[in-house]
Amino acid sequence: QVHLVESGGGLVQPGGSLRLSCAASRSIFSIDDMAWYRQAPGKERELVATITSGGNTNYGDSVKDRFTISRDNAKNTVYLQMSSLKPEDTAVYFCNAHASLVGIPYPRYEYWGPGTEVTVSS
């Protein structure tokens, strides 16, 4: 079983920056794709960014050119560097990962962290 724990959330002014981290404990699992999602109050969960095990990245339209996702496979950690933050970025940010048992690529399992709050306000 994989456990994900996010950290780094907090209060920041518009235009500021914040870096989120998500540490994964994987044991006998192999981590494949990882992603960040967010959910603002009263809104639907939204994809923020994805990153494959090989480092290929994709971003949601609302965060392109402002956010950067990265990962350190040795540390089993994924990061989200957020810059030029806007009030609409306020949300709970969730770490997501897909994994499989080492040596057994299927089935693949999906895991979620408990979330970390980001508030962008003057």
Side-chain angles (χ1 to χ4, degrees):
Q1 186 170 320
V2 176
H3 289 89
L4 305 175
V5 180
E6 303 96 338
S7 63
L11 175 65
V12 63
Q13 294 186 1
S17 299
L18 206 61
R19 190 191 194 197
L20 305 182
S21 299
C22 173
S25 60
R26 60 184 179 91
S27 187
I28 61 174
F29 285 86
S30 176
I31 306 296
D32 192 13
D33 298 341
M34 301 189 77
W36 286 97
Y37 287 78
R38 68 186 183 185
Q39 189 162 23
K43 294 187 177 181
E44 192 174 89
R45 185 176 60 184
E46 174 189 22
L47 174 66
V48 176
T50 63
I51 185 167
T52 69
S53 60
N56 294 321
T57 61
N58 289 101
Y59 298 90
D61 290 338
S62 63
V63 305
K64 287 181 178 177
D65 301 319
R66 298 190 300 118
F67 291 10
T68 301
I69 188 171
S70 62
R71 66 191 291 169
D72 185 335
N73 291 333
K75 296 180 179 179
N76 299 319
T77 301
V78 63
Y79 306 94
L80 184 68
Q81 178 65 50
M82 305 183 292
S83 301
S84 301
L85 285 163
K86 305 174 181 179
E88 54 262 42
D89 294 319
T90 296
V92 176
Y93 284 71
F94 298 94
C95 181
N96 170 268
H98 289 89
S100 60
L101 291 169
V102 174
I104 307 175
Y106 300 99
R108 295 176 68 182
Y109 304 90
E110 185 175 21
Y111 297 92
W112 293 89
T116 185
E117 294 184 0
V118 172
T119 302
V120 184
S121 179
S122 299

